[in-house]
Amino acid sequence: MRSARVAEDLRQRGQVAVLRDLMHSPVLTTTPETSVTEAAAGMVRARVGSAVVMQGSFLAGILSERDVLRAAASAEDLQRSPVSQWMTPDPQSATPDTTVAEAAQIMLLHGFRHLPVLDGRKVLGVVSLRDLFAARITRPAAG
């Protein structure tokens, strides 16, 4: 896993892992008008747990696996239901220089698993709780 490898390399050099080293980029994007079905299919194809919702060049929200599950449980027609109805609007975000510990604290305090990484208003990537755990866990060398 890339994030664990990068984090281990940084630890060996005595450096703290920051999100720039772990984030997934480019990110899967969608629009508020896209159907939940279409956005979820894109997440499956990309093998990711979230899609960043863009309104033009601005971050409007994030659609996560949890949001899709909540939408599915509603019994609404998800081919017609827009992402905007189910996304988390104006999500918390972090900068590329946010440390793994700081990002984990943000995510745990607010109860979400995906954190957009922004430079100003530009979306650079997304980091997941799984990425942060992988960065913190040292795996023994195979031998």
Side-chain angles (χ1 to χ4, degrees):
M1 173 171 256
R2 178 183 172 267
S3 17
R5 242 186 351 261
V6 169
E8 180 59 24
D9 182 50
L10 290 170
R11 268 197 299 275
Q12 288 176 356
R13 291 186 279 157
Q15 296 175 319
V16 175
V18 293
L19 299 189
R20 156 184 350 276
D21 304 318
L22 305 174
M23 68 185 182
H24 293 268
S25 182
V27 298
L28 177 67
T29 62
T30 190
T31 67
E33 300 81 24
T34 302
S35 74
V36 173
T37 299
E38 187 178 338
M43 291 165 61
V44 169
R45 280 191 304 274
R47 300 179 66 189
V48 296
S50 67
V52 174
V53 183
M54 302 296 292
Q55 186 74 51
S57 61
F58 297 103
L59 176 64
I62 190 165
L63 183 74
S64 69
E65 294 164 317
R66 271 192 203 165
D67 298 324
V68 173
L69 186 59
R70 198 168 38 90
S74 74
E76 286 195 32
D77 180 355
L78 300 186
Q79 291 182 344
R80 296 179 195 266
S81 188
V83 164
S84 61
Q85 188 175 339
W86 300 101
M87 71 181 190
T88 301
D90 302 316
Q92 290 273 333
S93 63
T95 70
D97 296 318
T98 301
T99 66
V100 167
E102 292 167 331
Q105 184 174 17
I106 291 168
M107 294 166 84
L108 291 171
L109 283 174
H110 298 285
F112 48 81
R113 298 176 185 166
H114 299 90
L115 184 63
V117 180
L118 277 63
D119 183 11
R121 292 182 170 226
K122 183 178 181 185
V123 178
L124 299 179
V126 171
V127 67
S128 71
L129 218 81
R130 177 182 281 175
D131 298 327
L132 301 183
F133 282 136
R136 300 292 293 178
I137 297 171
T138 304
R139 296 187 181 157

